Amino acid sequence: MKTVTNVFDLRSTLGAWREKGQRIAFVPTMGALHAGHLALVDHARKSAGKVVVSIFVNPTQFGPGEDFERYPRDLEADAEKLRDAGVDLLFAPPVDVIYPPGFATTVHVAGVSEGMEGARRPGHFDGVATVVARLLCLVLPDVAVFGQKDAQQCAVVMRLVADLGLPVEVRVAPTVREADGLALSSRNAYLTAAERTAAPALFRALLVAQLVHELGEKKPEKVLKAFRLALETEPLISLDSADLVDAATMRPVEKIDRSVLLAAAVKLGRTRLIDNVVFGG
Ligand code: PAF
């Protein structure tokens, strides 16, 4: 695996592959890699001859008081995991390569980015959309792979790619979970032992809500109530947000008569975790 940190080296490596007719799959990440990221890499490897992964902790998607400073960073350990996973190229740029002096563009994806996490974390999806647009323009992959755990992010990226006509196929890979159901996340590293034991209650509560719908309940408020009641059985978890929206548009629904996304964020101590399920339709 080759590691590059600047645009010149990135483009010359990619250019040489393209001249040989290689397809390129891309997995953008912020590092602190776990099995969930490696599942995205696996998906990428099956989609193209060459796999590029970026590691960049993007400052513009963190709000004031969020965990940008303490976000886990270990480039060497990450590089080793990627090498073992058969990645061909690691792009690990410093901040001024992604945002050179004078950089003045912000990408705002209206609609899908404005509700839910977008409303609660102002500027977050502008940061995500801007960095993803920048990375896609630098790498120009045939395929880019994102994880379903960040469902709203996937919707934002798909809208962005469609609206700008970027010639890349966006693929969404399923959430990878621990045996007890906890969705893999770099932020799981922040959990104390007791919080880690409590954390799977989030996914269990999402499944309870899904089951309530599958048993016939079509009213979003009733399904959300079932979710909240199930979550309350775990005292270490406090609910931060729960949204039940159309899975494609991310807009609230009045009735569950189509594919919907139930997405939730919870707090365990200082750690905020997200997860979701898709059902209905
Ligand atoms: O999902 C992430 O890790 C980040 O939001 C992404 C897509 C790499 C953009 O910084």
Side-chain angles (χ1 to χ4, degrees):
M1 182 182 78
K2 190 169 173 181
T3 299
V4 296
T5 57
N6 63 63
V7 175
F8 180 83
D9 291 344
L10 175 73
R11 289 217 162 116
S12 48
T13 307
L14 294 171
W17 290 343
R18 277 197 201 96
E19 266 174 32
K20 290 188 187 137
Q22 294 278 7
R23 265 169 70 80
I24 294 165
F26 176 48
V27 182
T29 81
M30 298 206 298
L33 302 177
H34 50 64
H37 295 108
L38 299 179
L40 303 183
V41 167
D42 206 43
H43 195 104
R45 248 208 342 255
K46 289 178 182 138
S47 317
K50 294 287 181 189
V51 175
V52 181
V53 173
S54 64
I55 294 184
F56 179 65
V57 184
N58 173 35
T60 66
Q61 69 188 76
F62 290 81
E66 289 187 358
D67 56 346
F68 175 66
E69 301 299 341
R70 70 180 187 120
Y71 197 83
R73 293 164 171 86
D74 189 346
L75 189 59
E76 245 173 62
D78 285 345
E80 202 174 314
K81 287 177 193 162
L82 295 175
R83 204 172 295 116
D84 290 349
V87 168
D88 299 282
L89 181 66
L90 166 59
F91 178 43
V95 173
D96 64 354
V97 165
I98 296 298
Y99 302 119
F103 189 94
T105 298
T106 298
V107 179
H108 176 73
V109 182
V112 284
S113 81
E114 290 169 346
M116 304 162 67
E117 286 288 277
R120 289 182 287 267
R121 300 179 67 190
H124 169 67
F125 284 120
D126 288 358
V128 169
T130 303
V131 81
V132 169
R134 174 98 176 104
L135 288 167
L136 290 178
C137 289
L138 287 171
V139 177
L140 292 175
D142 298 281
V143 175
V145 187
F146 295 82
Q148 168 65 23
K149 186 168 78 66
D150 296 299
Q152 191 174 8
Q153 169 170 284
C154 292
V156 169
V157 169
M158 284 193 277
R159 190 70 261 162
L160 157 82
V161 164
D163 288 356
L164 298 183
L166 298 178
V168 53
E169 184 190 334
V170 176
R171 301 236 179 112
V172 177
T175 302
V176 180
R177 300 181 180 281
E178 302 280 8
D180 59 10
L182 176 65
L184 297 193
S185 161
S186 306
R187 291 187 170 100
N188 292 351
Y190 302 151
L191 300 173
T192 64
E195 289 164 356
R196 172 64 191 82
T197 305
L202 170 57
F203 184 51
R204 283 201 301 274
L206 289 168
L207 291 181
V208 167
Q210 174 172 353
L211 184 65
V212 166
H213 166 68
E214 283 165 2
L215 291 173
E217 185 55 69
K218 290 206 165 17
K219 290 191 182 127
E221 59 279 11
K222 292 268 175 67
V223 171
L224 280 165
K225 187 173 176 190
F227 167 71
R228 278 194 293 269
L229 287 175
L231 197 67
E232 276 168 16
T233 61
E234 178 45 71
L236 281 187
I237 293 191
S238 61
L239 180 62
D240 198 42
S241 63
D243 299 281
L244 202 153
V245 294
D246 180 298
T249 65
M250 304 284 130
R251 287 184 198 281
V253 292
E254 285 179 4
K255 189 175 174 196
I256 304 175
D257 55 0
R258 67 196 89 165
S259 178
V260 295
L261 172 79
L262 172 55
V266 297
K267 285 263 179 71
L268 283 118
R270 289 171 65 204
T271 307
R272 187 171 185 271
L273 297 182
I274 61 170
D275 201 352
N276 64 74
V277 286
V278 175
F279 53 84

